[in-house]
Amino acid sequence: MTKKSSLHTVVLKTITAFRPMTVLTVITIIGAIVAALFPPLILERIVNNLTAGQPIAFLLALSYLGLLALSGLLESGQNIMITKFGQKITHGLRGEMCTKLQNLPAAYFTANEPGKITSRFVNDVDAVDAMFTNGIISMFADAFKVLSILAVIFYKSTGLGLLMLLIIPLMFALTRLFQQRMLTSQLANRVAISKVNNHVPETIRNIRMIHTLFRQQYMEQQYDAYIDESYRATDKSNLYDSIYSPIVIFFSAAIIALMMVLAAMGGSMQQFFGLSVGTAVAIIAYVGKIFEPLESIGMEIQNIQAAVAGIRRINEFLQETPSQHPDSVHTHPEPTVNAQPALCFEQVSFRYDDDTPVFSDLSFTVASGEAVTFIGRTGAGKSTIFRLALGLYHPDAGRVLINGVAAAIIPAAKKRALFGYVEQSFHLVAGTVAEQISLFDPDISRQQVETAARLVGLHESIVAFPDGYDTPGEKAAFSQGQFQLLAIARAVVAAPQILLLDEITANLDSATERRVLEALKRASQGRTVISISHRLQEYTQNHRMIEIGDHR
Amino acid sequence: MSQGRPIKNVTNPDRIGSYFRLEAGPLLLVTVSGLLYNLGMLAGPYFEGQLVQRLFDIINGNKTFASMVTLALTYLAVILIVQVMRAIKRFYVRRFANNTSRNMRHMLYNSLVNMSKVELEQEDLGAVMTKAIADVDACVEGMRKFTTEIFDTGVVLVAYLGLLFFYDWRLAMLASLFTPLAYLIAGGLKTRITRYNAEYKKSAGRLNNATMDRISNAVTYRIYGREQNRDQAYEAHLQDYEQRAVLANLWENTMQPLYNIISMCGAVLVIYFGARNVQGSGWTSWDIAAFTTFLSAFTKMALKSSKAAKLFNAVQKAQVSWQRIKPLMKAYVVPNTNTTLDFSRPPQLEVTDVSLRWPGSTWSLNAISFSAAPGQIIGVTGAVAGGKSTLGKAFIGEVPYQGSIRVGDRELSELSAYERSRLIAYLGHEPELMSCSIAENIRLGKQESIAAVLETVCLDQEIAQMPQGAATSVGSGGIRLSGGQQARTALARTLYNAGPILILDDPFSAVDRRTEQAIFRNLRRLAKGKIVLLISHRLYLFPDLDRVLFLDNGSGIFSTHAALLKENNAYARLYRAQMAGGEQHD
């Protein structure tokens, strides 16, 4: 993590990785710009011929079509290449953001709602995609179009060229004004949209509470308030968007009118603005064309503006402080596995952010093969002990050692053989029933998955599903208790040395509770077991008790 | 809410036409300004032709400079009016889209929030989200484009065609022959575009689900060292998405220039035969102005007709999205709060011969009978067979029952959802917190003070220590609070909103015993005059309860703790085992 990544670095990486594609994109864009310059010149010839009273050769008419066709085809190629390029960048960006997830401290996931992080991956990156495909790249193409047309106009009429040079900065200033106005409303809209997005899954999750407390209308009011926030911001930016392009077109008409008047003046002006009738026709076409890309730039501004807020948040996300590994500074020598205690806290102090310390100077040791239960008041820090042991958080002072190695530096690949963690409630992942247990680990065979399921007594229920172990997780009709059993199967499938049992939040009926209890007993065989439990007293009866936090 | 533009309830929300009808105002403005603007579009080519002709005449000495100035000013004035119309049309078409998006979301959310838990559990969470949010945008975008293109393509095409026929009907016919060809090709490609688009959408849905999964289970994946593996799987989703996005875009975006070329084939004929018209050897006699206007109008018409394909695409896209939104669109539900009940008198609870069965489950409770009077706390517990939570859920209508549950003089199953919610407060195992502040979570829109309930659940002191007090945000699902704090916030919320009957299903499972006892003492005080059904597997509070319902082997024994201890062996065994095991905890 020496170099901070950002949208900028991702774009550079993409350009370097797909050099031929980038070159081809540039070539088609240039081709499209040049090809678009020629049709008006043919038109000029045709009209000049007509005013001179000469007939039009069929071939000349045909060449007009030919050039139009070429220009159209190249534009088509330009669209394909820009889309491809934009997709490559969004792919790279999402990939980079996904990699970043690994480096974020666990606290990040507690402090930020999943819906909001997801919104960065989905909505913000989509905005960046739009910015590339319908924004920056096409804006470059359009800018060059403007320049090339300007050059042709200069060549045809110096006076008009100078006039255009005066007008274009004016248009640019106008464009900037619109940009700034729109940025404000776009930002407000993004914030509102992420609130709107978060409200829906939250409603689904809390639907029972909403119904039993009869708060459907309250929830609707909240939702409507969020939509309304987004509505107002959108309405404002729509207003700017609506008047920009008409202003530009009016300008273009004003230039044509002025040009015709100047061309008709005669005298010394004739020298400066003099036009043949054919050239006048060509120039009208060019002036229309020079404002067309300027108008597109206006549209592209909106896409870019919409993305600026997204980019800011993507960069914030990519530059989020990665988790610190304070323990790695004074790394312990290689562990001699059996001689070391399974879990050892040495004078550990810990606090979350700026809160009051959870505990200070905490020391205890759990020997290999021992069974220990932590007890203590709510909020005394029992769960925090687990988080520290799992390496999710790092102590402010002191050391947390697993088999003599600092918890923070245990490599991901070794974790599963070391820990099995039965979480408070089961977290369903997006996969099949088998994958709920294996967590997509290719090293865990179907055999092992079934063994684990048998151990907790779920095998029969799973086989009874329409697709057995391959039933999608969200379609498997597990009861609360069965999810608890599934959590145990997930924890023990890789035969870990240490089993961590968090207090189970699910309320289980006694029959299920008994099954969970028996499953836990079987799962604990031959392992170091560390648990937090109020409820399964029968299970923790033979454990050593360690009380936490009573000195507060 | 928003000044003068309230969100509207849509009648017949499953018909797309309803949304257009609702926006009659903005759409009328769009129609008037759209017609004027698009007819005014003819002014461009017409005046440009006239300007060129005037220049030709001036160069030849047939017209004066002053006449050019007048013509140029007229041209400018006409363009100004046309562009003002355009600005109005553009803004109101967007306002129409913005309103519609708001109305659709509003309706979708209404049908979502009124779905029962059972209904919702049958829906895939990620899919509902994608449906509700992404599809509304795509659908409204399609509706906006459709509305725009009706004027910008439909009206303009007719106007241009009229102009061309006016100048030279034979040439207009001949040159326009190519346009239907472009339409034909557009029609042929329509199905393909739809298919690629649908596949792209599906891939986007899969990617969204994968993103949600990767992020919401990030900590689980970290604990088990699965992050790298999940990132690889995510990469595969990204790859798939990229390919489908490129394909869909390719078909959709790049066809337009091709249509344009086909239509523009007519331009060759226009130039060739138009030149003959000017020279006097053609079908009609033209001046330069006629030639320029005709060519310019024809070019613009060809461009517009190529955009007609875009119209089809926009409509297609909107249809794909609409098909997915449509089944979720139900008539707006206004919760029925009519009641003849007198809530001021605390009712009795009389349960007679109640049998329960989870749908699809073999397990059941049989012939449960008990009664409770205001002021009583009834403990519900069970030994081997359990069924406590099922009984609790019967009171909120999640489990159907046979027999009779009478609340006052009314049968529970005949109460409306509103009446039930006013009479019965329920708290299950999940704290079900919203990601707002502690205070908002408890109040949920009401305004009374929360101090008393915070004290009851022993949360007042902890909250006083928080820098922002009760305004502290609890995070998504209450994640910034400890398990015990979440449970107590939820309990405070239930008490704050409680009617005369409270069903508490194991409210103390995440709370330590000392706190539990303190809360219980406070609860007694607060619940004076209420009936509390305390469902619990922990029995040490039971000696203090007024009555106990002991669920054993599918039937229930209703008695007091003391009597049960004496007369029921199973209950006595359970109680003594807990007393012996639990003592070490304090």
Side-chain angles (χ1 to χ4, degrees):
Chain A
M1 283 300 99
T2 44
K3 223 177 115 197
K4 286 205 163 174
S5 65
S6 65
L7 176 67
H8 185 68
T9 56
V10 172
V11 173
L12 284 183
K13 239 191 259 174
T14 311
I15 290 173
T16 349
F18 302 96
R19 204 180 291 261
M21 190 194 73
T22 313
V23 172
L24 196 62
T25 308
V26 173
I27 289 175
T28 40
I29 292 174
I30 293 173
I33 293 171
V34 173
L37 282 179
F38 282 99
L41 292 178
I42 304 278
L43 209 56
E44 181 186 15
R45 280 262 319 262
I46 290 170
V47 175
N48 277 342
N49 279 1
L50 276 180
T51 49
Q54 290 163 358
I56 306 294
F58 188 72
L59 209 63
L60 190 64
L62 203 63
S63 72
Y64 182 63
L65 175 73
L67 279 165
L68 275 182
L70 183 70
S71 151
L73 282 174
L74 279 167
E75 201 175 320
S76 164
Q78 178 189 326
N79 282 346
I80 300 175
M81 293 314 293
I82 290 178
T83 304
K84 272 192 101 143
F85 192 79
Q87 280 300 324
K88 282 272 178 266
I89 285 177
T90 48
H91 182 160
L93 194 56
R94 288 204 172 106
E96 186 81 16
M97 287 169 79
C98 182
T99 318
K100 177 74 189 177
L101 287 176
Q102 277 197 44
N103 299 320
L104 286 171
Y108 184 84
F109 299 103
T110 354
N112 294 279
E113 280 121 46
K116 284 191 183 153
I117 311 177
T118 309
S119 167
R120 293 186 176 189
F121 274 69
V122 179
N123 300 342
D124 290 344
V125 175
D126 277 349
V128 169
D129 179 30
M131 181 191 74
F132 274 100
T133 48
N134 308 313
I136 289 183
I137 302 177
S138 22
M139 194 149 119
F140 264 106
D142 287 327
F144 279 110
K145 235 180 232 173
V146 171
L147 286 178
S148 65
I149 292 171
L150 201 59
V152 176
I153 292 179
F154 252 107
Y155 176 70
K156 290 287 173 197
S157 159
T158 326
L160 192 59
L162 286 173
L163 199 67
M164 295 302 287
L165 268 189
L166 283 176
I167 297 288
I168 285 172
L170 199 72
M171 294 305 299
F172 187 70
L174 183 80
T175 307
R176 283 297 299 161
L177 182 76
F178 275 82
Q179 276 181 355
Q180 279 147 7
R181 289 284 166 85
M182 274 159 72
L183 175 65
T184 329
S185 19
Q186 292 288 353
L187 266 172
N189 187 35
R190 293 257 137 207
V191 171
I193 282 287
S194 90
K195 282 189 205 161
V196 171
N197 288 357
N198 202 46
H199 201 64
V200 171
E202 197 150 80
T203 304
I204 296 170
R205 220 167 36 226
N206 297 335
I207 195 76
R208 179 187 282 152
M209 178 275 288
I210 295 163
H211 282 215
T212 52
L213 297 181
F214 214 72
R215 283 306 204 283
Q216 292 92 316
Q217 277 189 312
Y218 168 74
M219 293 298 289
E220 276 191 72
Q221 279 160 13
Q222 292 286 93
Y223 190 68
D224 288 348
Y226 296 147
I227 318 176
D228 208 57
E229 228 178 288
S230 148
Y231 176 92
R232 284 163 199 242
T234 310
D235 205 46
K236 209 180 265 179
S237 80
N238 281 346
L239 180 68
Y240 297 125
D241 183 42
S242 305
I243 56 176
Y244 178 81
S245 167
I247 291 176
V248 169
I249 296 216
F250 178 70
F251 262 89
S252 124
I255 288 170
I256 291 173
L258 188 62
M259 176 192 82
M260 296 310 282
V261 168
L262 289 173
M265 269 175 106
S268 60
M269 280 294 174
Q270 178 73 36
Q271 289 287 310
F272 208 43
F273 289 102
L275 296 169
S276 69
V277 176
T279 312
V281 173
I283 295 256
I284 287 176
Y286 279 127
V287 170
K289 271 179 186 291
I290 203 168
F291 283 104
E292 206 174 274
L294 265 192
E295 188 190 348
S296 312
I297 291 173
M299 295 292 203
E300 285 143 13
I301 286 166
Q302 199 186 356
N303 290 321
I304 294 171
Q305 289 308 329
V308 165
I311 292 171
R312 193 176 296 162
R313 287 190 298 174
I314 287 170
N315 281 342
E316 264 170 29
F317 176 79
L318 286 173
Q319 282 154 20
E320 197 69 49
T321 341
S323 36
Q324 303 293 319
H325 295 232
D327 286 321
S328 56
V329 184
H330 41 92
T331 308
H332 211 72
E334 266 302 294
T336 44
V337 177
N338 287 328
Q340 296 285 352
L343 173 64
C344 178
F345 271 52
E346 285 179 5
Q347 296 174 312
V348 172
S349 300
F350 182 77
R351 65 170 73 196
Y352 291 102
D353 294 328
D354 301 322
D355 284 339
T356 44
V358 181
F359 38 68
S360 48
D361 221 15
L362 178 70
S363 298
F364 64 83
T365 302
V366 178
S368 188
E370 201 182 2
V372 166
T373 294
F374 287 99
I375 55 172
R377 271 182 78 94
T378 312
K382 293 170 307 221
S383 297
T384 309
I385 290 180
F386 274 20
R387 288 176 193 150
L388 288 165
L390 288 163
L392 294 176
Y393 289 81
H394 311 301
D396 300 325
R399 297 198 299 172
V400 176
L401 304 174
I402 310 287
N403 288 342
V405 180
I409 59 164
I410 292 171
K414 295 206 171 145
K415 279 188 174 171
R416 257 199 128 167
L418 214 51
F419 298 115
Y421 175 43
V422 182
E423 294 181 76
Q424 286 195 331
S425 51
F426 184 76
H427 293 273
L428 192 71
V429 298
T432 65
V433 171
E435 285 160 346
Q436 301 302 324
I437 298 174
S438 73
L439 283 178
F440 312 95
D441 194 337
D443 295 337
I444 292 174
S445 65
R446 177 55 62 88
Q447 189 78 46
Q448 280 170 291
V449 168
E450 285 182 21
T451 310
R454 278 208 178 84
L455 179 87
V456 300
L458 270 183
H459 180 71
E460 282 70 27
S461 317
I462 294 172
V463 177
F465 290 140
D467 292 315
Y469 279 90
D470 297 318
T471 309
E474 72 274 7
K475 294 211 172 96
F478 284 119
S479 70
Q480 276 217 317
Q482 286 177 317
F483 274 126
Q484 222 39 257
L485 294 172
L486 205 55
I488 300 170
R490 179 186 283 178
V492 298
V493 69
Q497 296 172 18
I498 306 169
L499 197 61
L500 297 172
L501 307 176
D502 214 333
E503 48 188 349
I504 292 166
T505 48
N507 192 30
L508 309 173
D509 62 73
S510 305
T512 315
E513 196 168 297
R514 195 152 299 282
R515 287 175 63 195
V516 172
L517 214 77
E518 278 156 13
L520 280 177
K521 263 185 196 160
R522 285 193 296 270
S524 310
Q525 302 264 303
R527 299 204 160 92
T528 308
V529 180
I530 305 169
S531 59
I532 303 170
S533 176
H534 298 291
R535 296 188 39 205
L536 306 171
Q537 289 95 346
E538 211 178 308
Y539 170 73
T540 52
Q541 258 168 31
N542 310 320
H543 290 191
R544 175 158 71 97
M545 300 288 169
I546 298 178
E547 182 153 8
I548 299 294
D550 223 16
H551 52 272
R552 277 222 282 175
Chain B
M1 242 176 269
S2 71
Q3 335 87 322
R5 305 192 296 271
I7 303 179
K8 292 167 190 161
N9 294 336
V10 186
T11 38
N12 295 327
D14 57 344
R15 277 189 228 143
I16 195 92
S18 313
Y19 297 90
F20 284 101
R21 225 167 295 131
L22 208 57
E23 294 306 318
L27 283 175
L28 186 70
L29 266 172
V30 170
T31 310
V32 172
S33 57
L35 278 173
L36 286 175
Y37 157 59
N38 282 306
L39 289 174
M41 286 279 283
L42 293 178
Y46 173 77
F47 276 100
E48 277 156 26
Q50 292 301 315
L51 284 167
V52 171
Q53 180 71 43
R54 193 63 49 95
L55 184 65
F56 181 67
D57 290 343
I58 291 172
I59 289 172
N60 289 341
N62 295 336
K63 286 272 163 66
T64 61
F65 170 69
S67 74
M68 177 60 104
V69 176
T70 324
L71 184 62
L73 285 177
T74 321
Y75 166 65
L76 210 54
V78 170
I79 295 290
L80 180 67
I81 295 167
V82 169
Q83 289 303 318
V84 168
M85 286 301 131
R86 177 159 177 248
I88 293 174
K89 188 212 72 174
R90 277 168 77 92
F91 179 71
Y92 279 96
V93 125
R94 280 163 176 74
R95 156 116 2 132
F96 154 72
N98 207 4
N99 283 345
T100 305
S101 154
R102 199 166 63 150
N103 293 339
M104 277 192 176
R105 283 175 200 261
H106 173 72
M107 292 306 289
L108 270 178
Y109 188 80
N110 176 268
S111 72
L112 173 75
V113 81
N114 286 299
M115 280 180 193
S116 72
K117 189 166 179 68
V118 182
E119 281 174 289
L120 272 176
E121 273 166 358
Q122 287 160 354
E123 290 274 4
D124 182 5
L125 186 136
V128 170
M129 233 180 75
T130 327
K131 267 176 206 155
I133 292 155
D135 281 340
V136 166
D137 283 338
C139 183
V140 168
E141 181 68 4
M143 286 168 77
R144 181 177 76 80
K145 279 194 180 145
F146 173 74
T147 315
T148 309
E149 297 301 334
I150 279 184
F151 295 104
D152 286 8
T153 306
V155 176
V156 159
L157 272 182
V158 173
Y160 277 141
L161 220 54
L163 187 79
L164 295 182
F165 271 80
F166 173 74
Y167 273 99
D168 182 345
W169 65 271
R170 271 169 290 220
L171 184 52
M173 283 256 276
L174 201 62
S176 310
L177 277 180
F178 293 92
T179 311
L181 194 68
Y183 273 98
L184 220 65
I185 294 172
L189 287 167
K190 216 169 70 177
T191 45
R192 184 163 298 193
I193 289 168
T194 318
R195 197 180 71 222
Y196 280 107
N197 244 318
E199 278 176 19
Y200 165 53
K201 279 239 146 172
K202 270 187 215 154
S203 178
R206 285 195 298 268
L207 180 65
N208 283 357
N209 279 341
T211 311
M212 240 338 224
D213 178 64
R214 178 68 185 87
I215 290 166
S216 48
N217 291 320
V219 175
T220 303
Y221 289 135
R222 178 165 302 175
I223 288 168
Y224 285 105
R226 305 305 310 142
E227 289 183 297
Q228 208 151 15
N229 168 286
R230 287 295 80 205
D231 288 0
Q232 281 158 11
Y234 190 67
E235 177 60 29
H237 279 293
L238 286 177
Q239 190 69 40
D240 180 69
Y241 175 76
E242 182 193 328
Q243 278 166 0
R244 289 183 198 281
V246 168
L247 265 178
N249 271 316
L250 193 133
W251 284 103
E252 195 185 308
N253 288 333
T254 58
M255 284 300 135
Q256 196 190 317
L258 291 178
Y259 305 141
N260 197 7
I261 289 168
I262 295 167
S263 304
M264 276 306 279
C265 285
V268 178
L269 301 177
V270 171
I271 291 171
Y272 185 72
F273 289 105
R276 291 173 63 134
N277 282 350
V278 175
Q279 287 176 324
S281 55
W283 286 308
T284 33
S285 176
W286 277 5
D287 54 6
I288 298 281
F291 179 80
T292 323
T293 304
F294 196 94
L295 185 61
S296 162
F298 180 80
T299 310
K300 285 190 177 164
M301 191 191 75
L303 193 74
K304 280 291 171 195
S305 63
S306 75
K307 289 224 171 101
K310 219 177 185 176
L311 171 66
F312 288 133
N313 293 350
V315 172
Q316 277 297 323
K317 249 174 131 175
Q319 273 175 350
V320 171
S321 304
W322 176 245
Q323 283 313 319
R324 298 204 289 186
I325 300 173
K326 202 180 159 181
L328 286 171
M329 283 292 189
K330 310 251 163 68
Y332 188 84
V333 179
V334 180
N336 174 18
T337 53
N338 293 335
T339 179
T340 52
L341 278 176
D342 176 13
F343 294 107
S344 62
R345 270 188 310 152
Q348 298 269 337
L349 182 65
E350 193 69 50
V351 177
T352 324
D353 264 344
V354 161
S355 300
L356 299 170
R357 183 187 293 273
W358 267 114
S361 164
T362 52
W363 181 88
S364 60
L365 275 178
N366 293 312
I368 305 293
S369 296
F370 67 95
S371 62
Q376 285 188 326
I377 301 187
I378 314 286
V380 179
T381 193
V384 184
K388 308 179 283 267
S389 293
T390 314
L391 181 64
K393 282 176 190 148
F395 284 92
I396 51 168
E398 265 185 47
V399 181
Y401 68 91
Q402 287 175 354
S404 159
I405 298 179
R406 292 197 76 80
V407 183
D409 52 2
R410 295 280 295 273
E411 183 63 33
L412 178 73
S413 57
E414 283 158 17
L415 293 173
S416 70
Y418 170 70
E419 290 169 330
R420 196 172 58 216
S421 77
R422 286 285 303 268
L423 291 171
I424 298 170
Y426 171 89
L427 178 61
H429 322 127
E430 304 286 333
E432 300 197 84
L433 299 177
M434 306 288 303
S435 54
C436 48
S437 72
I438 296 174
E440 283 171 79
N441 259 299
I442 295 170
R443 285 206 182 100
L444 293 174
K446 277 198 199 168
Q447 291 309 322
E448 291 112 75
S449 162
I450 57 169
V453 289
L454 286 182
E455 211 174 304
T456 307
V457 301
C458 304
L459 207 56
D460 49 337
Q461 282 167 19
E462 277 161 77
I463 285 178
Q465 280 174 10
M466 296 177 186
Q468 287 167 289
T472 306
S473 173
V474 305
S476 171
I479 198 156
R480 286 185 214 166
L481 302 180
S482 76
Q485 288 170 333
Q486 289 177 25
R488 282 178 289 155
T489 307
L491 183 58
R493 179 189 61 207
T494 311
L495 296 176
Y496 181 84
N497 293 291
I501 300 172
L502 273 146
I503 316 279
L504 305 177
D505 190 352
D506 204 13
F508 306 123
S509 70
V511 179
D512 64 281
R513 193 156 153 184
R514 221 177 307 165
T515 315
E516 173 175 358
Q517 274 161 345
I519 295 175
F520 180 72
R521 276 194 302 276
N522 296 337
L523 188 65
R524 257 237 183 270
R525 225 175 331 115
L526 192 95
K528 209 171 277 172
K530 294 184 195 292
I531 296 171
V532 180
L533 223 60
L534 185 64
I535 301 171
S536 180
H537 61 279
R538 290 195 290 195
L539 300 181
Y540 48 82
L541 288 174
F542 277 49
D544 300 328
L545 302 183
D546 298 305
R547 288 278 194 289
V548 172
L549 175 68
F550 180 52
L551 301 176
D552 192 14
N553 283 325
S555 58
I557 299 140
F558 186 57
S559 182
T560 61
H561 174 75
L564 276 168
L565 210 53
K566 236 182 278 167
E567 292 153 18
N568 192 303
N569 283 337
Y571 185 82
R573 224 181 11 252
L574 201 65
Y575 180 72
R576 293 214 177 85
Q578 284 197 13
M579 284 303 107
E583 258 162 8
Q584 302 165 33
H585 273 243
D586 278 61

